[in-house]
Amino acid sequence: MGRWPWQTIPIDFRNPVVALSGEIDMSNAVGIAHSVKPLIEAGGPIVIDVSGVTFIDSTGVQALFAVVDALGDRGCVVLHGVNGTVRKIIDLIQLQSVRPNIHIIDCTVLALAS
């Protein structure tokens, strides 16, 4: 606890990327929406790189829902680098069909930028 599993990688000042890593669970999921609050307020696409995430539980998924819902019709969330266990969870809950303003990208190109 106390250590947040993400960082913002400023690829371009207009298009920052939030890179999550490690496990996202009940102990740290609540901080995700808080950390991207300025991006939500600005609107537009929010890119979240999950290529470094090894596990996500239901509270982590709910945190992603909170970001998508807070953004509303002012933009979309792009989950980048979805693979492994995270891919299985995303597929299981059919995330894209539940929230139309979320987009899933499998490749891990953004992981190379860090």
Side-chain angles (χ1 to χ4, degrees), residues 14-114:
R14 292 165 294 179
N15 298 307
V17 174
V18 176
L20 305 179
S21 61
E23 296 184 359
I24 302 174
D25 56 25
M26 187 170 56
S27 70
N28 57 25
V30 70
I32 294 173
H34 179 71
S35 71
V36 297
K37 185 176 181 181
L39 302 175
I40 292 169
E41 290 172 354
I46 297 175
V47 178
I48 301 175
D49 182 356
V50 296
S51 62
V53 175
T54 57
F55 173 80
I56 188 168
D57 71 2
S58 62
T59 55
V61 171
Q62 289 299 323
L64 293 176
F65 282 163
V67 171
V68 171
D69 292 344
L71 191 57
D73 63 356
R74 296 176 302 109
C76 65
V77 171
V78 177
L79 285 184
H80 196 282
V82 177
N83 60 62
T85 304
V86 177
R87 166 51 75 192
K88 290 176 186 176
I89 298 297
I90 296 295
D91 289 345
L92 180 68
I93 62 172
Q94 300 177 347
L95 186 62
Q96 285 180 287
S97 62
V98 176
R99 299 296 197 274
N101 61 334
I102 192 162
H103 307 285
I104 311 296
I105 299 175
D106 295 326
C107 70
T108 58
V109 172
L110 289 179
L112 299 175
S114 61

